[in-house]
Amino acid sequence: MFDERTLPEDVAAVRAAHAPEALVLDCGTDFETLAPAQAEDLGLLVDSLDPSSFPESWLPEDAPELLGRYASTDFTIGMPGDGSVAWTRQTVPPTVFVKARVQGSPDDFVEFLIAEALVEVGSDDPEHFLGFFGDRYADLDAALPFDAGSVYQIAAALYDAYRGLYTRETFADWADERPRLFEAWQDAGERIEPRLDGLPGAMAREETDFAEAAEFACSAVKHGLELPAPFAALDTETYRDHGADYAVTWAEKTFA
């Protein structure tokens, strides 16, 4: 199921700078959340397991079952929205997972995703949006006129935007020292920019719902792209400074 991945020199340098203890594993299958038996197999590869848990009071009554499982003491690795490369600090050392779905993707892009995960592992940010929103997640749920699944998707997008406000500064600094990774970051931004420009029209024509639009727009923050309204208000110093409180206020104002 898991094999330790050999990192090219530039990605190894990112690990050394940001998360020197992190283990990077290739996964034999694709997953959103690992089955319990597979998750327990990690115990053979790491020093110890340290499952996260959060107060039940942080969750609204209709929270998705999987989010409730993550908040509990169950050892839950991987959540919807994690993407092709995921990571956790619930293992010691922290672990980065390269999922099977990356097969066929350009090597430079995959290695940028690994480097991005290593930068996030080395930050002080929680591994999941529930740790970011905390007891304000219920307030976010109350502010959004959508079902529990859409609220989850929007919360994940908002947290993605918040992290992107910080990580993009690191990526921009790679131009000279790690040009291959820098170019992969730039190329990814250039590829999504045309669709981002068409996002307001797609929303107006109801071709894209709000949760999908939020997911896409917020993913563009790490590339420093210009966002359409109402998402442009998330690319601000105020969001950097005030985090979850600002995100909840943004949701309340957007749907007032």
Side-chain angles (χ1 to χ4, degrees):
M1 175 65 185
F2 304 110
D3 292 300
E4 188 166 0
R5 186 182 182 96
T6 301
L7 301 180
E9 184 177 349
D10 48 2
V11 181
V14 173
R15 176 167 64 180
H18 293 274
E21 301 299 320
L23 185 66
V24 181
L25 300 178
D26 282 321
C27 304
T29 60
D30 194 12
F31 64 89
E32 280 195 330
T33 301
L34 283 176
Q38 293 171 327
E40 292 300 329
D41 285 346
L42 286 171
L44 303 175
L45 301 172
V46 299
D47 296 337
S48 62
L49 305 178
D50 184 22
S52 60
S53 63
F54 303 95
E56 186 177 348
S57 61
W58 287 6
L59 300 181
E61 291 184 1
D62 65 344
E65 181 180 352
L66 192 55
L67 187 59
R69 177 178 154 194
Y70 177 76
S72 75
T73 56
D74 290 351
F75 184 50
T76 306
I77 295 294
M79 291 289 283
D82 282 350
S84 300
V85 176
W87 58 268
T88 186
R89 295 195 199 97
Q90 297 180 79
T91 60
V92 180
T95 305
V96 174
F97 302 94
V98 185
K99 301 177 185 179
R101 73 177 74 166
V102 304
Q103 294 176 8
S105 299
D107 289 344
D108 288 356
F109 178 63
V110 173
E111 285 156 9
F112 163 72
L113 293 179
I114 297 169
E116 177 187 23
L118 290 166
V119 170
E120 292 177 351
V121 169
S123 74
D124 293 329
D125 295 332
E127 70 179 69
H128 188 266
F129 72 70
L130 188 58
F132 171 68
F133 281 103
D135 60 4
R136 305 269 1 232
Y137 184 63
D139 297 326
L140 180 71
D141 178 78
L144 295 171
F146 303 113
D147 62 39
S150 294
V151 172
Y152 180 103
Q153 189 175 3
I154 294 167
L158 291 171
Y159 186 39
D160 195 26
Y162 177 79
R163 290 196 293 201
L165 291 171
Y166 289 89
T167 56
R168 70 188 185 189
E169 295 179 352
T170 299
F171 305 152
D173 287 342
W174 289 347
D176 295 326
E177 293 185 2
R178 301 177 183 109
R180 185 176 69 99
L181 298 177
F182 174 81
E183 289 169 8
W185 169 63
Q186 280 198 317
D187 181 66
E190 290 169 359
R191 289 176 182 272
I192 68 174
E193 192 165 15
R195 184 180 166 193
L196 186 65
D197 292 340
L199 195 59
M203 292 177 66
R205 294 189 297 272
E206 298 184 349
E207 296 171 355
T208 300
D209 66 27
F210 188 88
E212 292 169 343
E215 184 174 52
F216 188 75
C218 290
S219 72
V221 172
K222 71 182 176 188
H223 298 288
L225 302 178
E226 186 174 348
L227 306 184
F231 308 108
L234 298 170
D235 192 352
T236 62
E237 289 293 325
T238 307
Y239 192 19
R240 282 183 56 132
D241 293 343
H242 296 282
D245 289 337
Y246 181 86
V248 173
T249 300
W250 171 84
E252 290 170 344
K253 290 183 176 180
T254 298
F255 293 99

